[in-house]
Structures are given as C-alpha cells and as structure tokens.
Amino acid sequence: MPFGNLFRRTWSSTDRLDGKTVLITGANTGIGKETALDLAKRGARIIMACRDMEKAEGALKEVIEGSGSQNVVIKKLDLSDTKSIREFAETINKEETQLHILINNAGVMVCPHGKTADGFEMQIGVNHMGHFLLTHLLVDLIKRSTPARIINVSSMAHSWGTINLDDINSEKGYDKKKAYSQSKLANILFTRSLAKKLQGTGVTAYSLHPGMVQTDLWRHLSTPQAAIMKMISPFTKTSVQGAQTTIYCAVAPELETESGGYYSDCAPANCSSSASDDDTAQKLWELSCRMLSLSWD
Ligand SMILES: NC(=O)C1=CN([C@@H]2O[C@H](COP(=O)(O)OP(=O)(O)OC[C@H]3O[C@@H](n4cnc5c(N)ncnc54)[C@H](OP(=O)(O)O)[C@@H]3O)[C@@H](O)[C@H]2O)C=CC1
Ligand SMILES: CC1=C(/C=C/C(C)=C/C=C/C(C)=C/C=O)C(C)(C)CCC1
C-alpha cells in the first residue's frame, strides 16, 4: 500500500445523482476521467468536454463500460481558443435543458511558453480565462437548474503565486511555475467572486486542491525532475484518490448550504491570504471581463 494512503482521507458515500447533468472539462484522462466515471455510476448524465476527440472516444468507452451507464457523451472543447469555447457553449445551451454541476477541471502545468489563440499566456489562458468564459456562457442554464454547483479544480500551488494584474500574461518575463501558481490562485479568487455574485440564486461554488496526483499533468517535468517525482510517488495519490475531493464537492449534501470555500482531502481547508483577498478577486474579475470583452456583473 502506498504510504500516502496512511495520511489521506477518502470519501465514501452512496449519494445518487439520478436526473442530474454534470459537465466536466478535461475529462479524457486523470482526475477528470475518474470524476466522470464516479458520477456516471451515481446516475448522472455526464458531458465529457475534451480537446482531443480521439482520446475522448477511448475515455468515453472506459466510462460507459466502467459505470454501466449509456448516459455519457463527449463534446469538443478547446479552452485555449475562445471560438471553440463559444461554439461548445452554444451547443450545450441548445441541446441541454439543464446543467446541475459544472466541473472546471482541465488544466495545463509548467508548460513551455505558449499563447492561446487569443494571445493569452497558455496557463492563465486555459486554467483561468477559458473556464471564466465557459462559466459565463453557461451560467444562465446553470441558474435554471438549481440547486446547482460550480466546482473549480485549483491546487495548493496557489499559495506560491500572486496575481500580477499589470502583467497577467507574463509578457515582461515568463516563469512557468509562477504562471501556473498565478492561474491556480485565480481559480480560488474566481470561486470567491462567483459565490458572492450568485448568492441567493441556488447556485453554489467551490474550489479545491486534489492532492499530488500521478497524472499526465506532470508531462512537462525535466528528466531529473521526473526521476525525483518517481521517487516520491509512494506519497502521491492515484487518479481515483485525486478525484475524491472533486466528487465530494459535487455530491456532498452538507455542502448545499456552503459556497465560496476551498477544500482538500474531502474537507474544508485553509487557503493563502492572497486567496482570501476580495479586493484582488474583484480586480481579477474586472480584468478577465475586459480581456474577454464580456459584461458580467
Ligand atoms: N495532478 C496533480 O498533482 C494536481 C492536479 N491539479 C489540478 O487538477 C486538474 C486536473 O489535472 P490532472 O487530471 O492532474 O491532469 P491531466 O493532465 O491528467 O488532465 C488535464 C486535462 O485537461 C485537458 N486540457 C489541457 N489543456 C486543455 C485545453 N486547452 N482545452 C481543453 N482541455 C485541456 C487535458 O487534455 P489532453 O489529455 O488532451 O491534454 C486533460 O484532459 C488540473 O486543473 C490541475 O491543475 C491540482 C493539483 C495537483
Ligand atoms: C521539489 C521538487 C519537486 C516537487 C515539486 C512539488 C512538490 C510540486 C507540487 C506541485 C503541485 C501541488 C502542483 C499541482 O497543482 C519535483 C518537481 C518533483 C522535482 C524537483 C524538486
């Protein structure tokens, strides 16, 4: 048994999601795929939003076979392109009558410098801006599906980051770790703002750290870093274990009256002081709206 199991909390519940529709970004692998499988077993309709349809087909097969549910679909979504996000959201708004749980899970970590189709630095662009736009485009459907939840998969890496409001795209110098941490801090600040703005609507919002999980997220590590990662692997989580806090935020009945919080190991957790800064949260919201040419109060 990996040593990690000794200090890790897992969550067991038999709560069902029959009649609920769940949308998960980055659902073809890792935490997203395990989340899809678990929630399909609970009876939910699952929309797996993936950028690579070939990988998505394989994951769809696994989720259908593993859950025994046929109520699972794949849809194309590339979060590094606002055109793709808008087309995807248009399809969802047209085809779905309700959306009860949105799980903003997709992410990219410490990649070489790159830009999205709209010129955003890749990590802030995919991890924050893409999900900000997606949530904006789906929020009316979510509001018509209450009680409903929005879940943003963040990371403990948020605590090593700051929001650089004057240079959110790291144009003055790209540090891949800082850019990742900034994007994960943005996930928590976005969640806090969402919770405030959605107060009284029946839509609640949560952010979380899944743990250190053995997934493709680590694909950009150097060879020596990957070797160290392998050495510490007994202390890390499997994808199934890494999905537990997301599943908890999606399902736990006791969270229905909570909103805006940050979770880890299936329990409320402390985030950094920067992640509790409502002034920065509001400024990030306004900057995101400006950069995406949105009006969203
Ligand atoms: N693993 C860990 O230790 C930790 C993970 N997290 C967070 O958990 C979340 C899930 O990560 P994890 O499962 O580990 O990583 P994976 O790399 O296994 O999964 C990430 C998913 O995001 C997708 N994705 C990446 N870029 C885009 C894009 N432009 N458009 C659409 N989808 C995209 C990937 O697609 P594709 O397969 O095509 O690349 C993949 O499906 C992330 O938000 C990550 O930051 C947080 C803390 C620790
Ligand atoms: C110190 C050190 C490592 C550990 C990094 C850690 C602990 C990263 C945690 C990142 C998280 C939590 C990211 C998810 O969002 C490596 C890269 C393995 C090898 C090089 C030296």
Side-chain angles (χ1 to χ4, degrees):
M1 178 175 83
F3 300 123
N5 286 327
L6 299 175
F7 54 83
R8 173 178 306 150
R9 274 183 68 179
T10 52
W11 191 60
S12 62
S13 97
T14 51
D15 293 288
R16 301 278 310 166
L17 290 179
D18 301 293
K20 305 283 185 191
T21 299
V22 180
L23 195 163
I24 307 166
T25 67
N28 59 282
T29 189
I31 295 165
K33 186 174 75 180
E34 294 305 335
T35 304
L37 178 58
D38 182 286
L39 302 185
K41 284 181 187 165
R42 294 172 193 270
R45 167 171 171 72
I46 307 291
I47 303 166
M48 300 167 69
C50 308
R51 65 172 162 177
D52 180 328
M53 294 314 274
E54 211 176 303
K55 288 190 197 170
E57 289 283 356
L60 174 69
K61 203 163 164 268
E62 280 183 56
V63 173
I64 288 176
E65 280 172 13
S67 65
S69 167
Q70 295 294 324
N71 202 0
V72 186
V73 294
I74 49 172
K75 298 276 174 202
K76 166 97 179 154
L77 169 67
D78 183 348
L79 287 156
S80 71
D81 184 350
T82 56
K83 189 164 168 274
S84 168
I85 300 168
R86 287 184 179 281
E87 282 169 6
F88 171 82
E90 202 181 318
T91 306
I92 298 297
N93 280 315
K94 210 182 305 161
E95 292 179 358
E96 303 295 328
T97 51
Q98 295 206 295
L99 179 57
H100 305 91
I101 304 173
L102 170 63
I103 303 180
N104 290 321
N105 163 81
V108 58
M109 181 173 79
V110 298
C111 53
H113 183 256
K115 285 188 175 178
T116 69
D118 303 271
F120 307 137
E121 180 280 312
M122 189 59 74
Q123 299 189 72
I124 196 75
V126 169
N127 299 356
H128 169 65
M129 293 295 175
H131 283 126
F132 187 94
L133 176 61
L134 179 67
T135 307
H136 170 73
L137 296 171
L138 296 177
V139 78
D140 288 341
L141 177 63
I142 298 170
K143 280 186 188 165
R144 293 197 299 273
S145 315
T146 55
R149 301 182 185 199
I150 300 171
I151 297 158
N152 293 319
V153 181
S154 176
S155 166
M156 64 173 278
H158 81 270
S159 57
W160 307 319
T162 50
I163 301 289
N164 192 348
L165 290 164
D166 297 327
D167 186 23
I168 197 108
N169 284 317
S170 309
E171 274 164 3
K172 293 180 188 155
Y174 178 64
D175 176 323
K176 57 192 178 186
K177 294 190 207 84
K178 280 190 185 161
Y180 179 70
S181 301
Q182 172 178 251
S183 74
K184 292 288 119 180
L185 177 56
N187 292 154
I188 302 181
L189 294 171
F190 174 41
T191 307
R192 286 178 75 89
S193 298
L194 258 183
K196 268 192 183 173
K197 290 173 202 275
L198 294 173
Q199 211 170 10
T201 63
V203 184
T204 47
Y206 315 89
S207 64
L208 66 104
H209 169 59
M212 260 181 88
V213 191
Q214 294 282 342
T215 65
D216 295 347
L217 191 74
W218 302 85
R219 69 187 89 177
H220 297 295
L221 291 192
S222 65
T223 309
Q225 285 173 338
I228 299 174
M229 189 64 189
K230 203 165 176 201
M231 278 161 58
I232 63 170
S233 64
F235 299 97
T236 61
K237 294 184 180 184
T238 62
S239 294
V240 173
Q241 291 164 338
Q244 295 306 304
T245 305
T246 303
I247 297 162
Y248 172 75
C249 289
V251 177
E254 67 268 27
L255 292 192
E256 197 157 314
T257 50
E258 302 290 326
S259 192
Y262 174 70
Y263 296 81
S264 179
D265 287 329
C266 304
N270 292 322
C271 54
S272 68
S273 54
S274 313
S276 326
D277 179 346
D278 285 332
D279 183 47
T280 307
Q282 180 56 25
K283 286 183 176 143
L284 174 67
W285 184 284
E286 288 163 9
L287 179 66
S288 306
C289 284
R290 270 201 309 280
M291 288 177 64
L292 291 159
S293 308
L294 301 181
S295 159
W296 188 9
D297 303 320

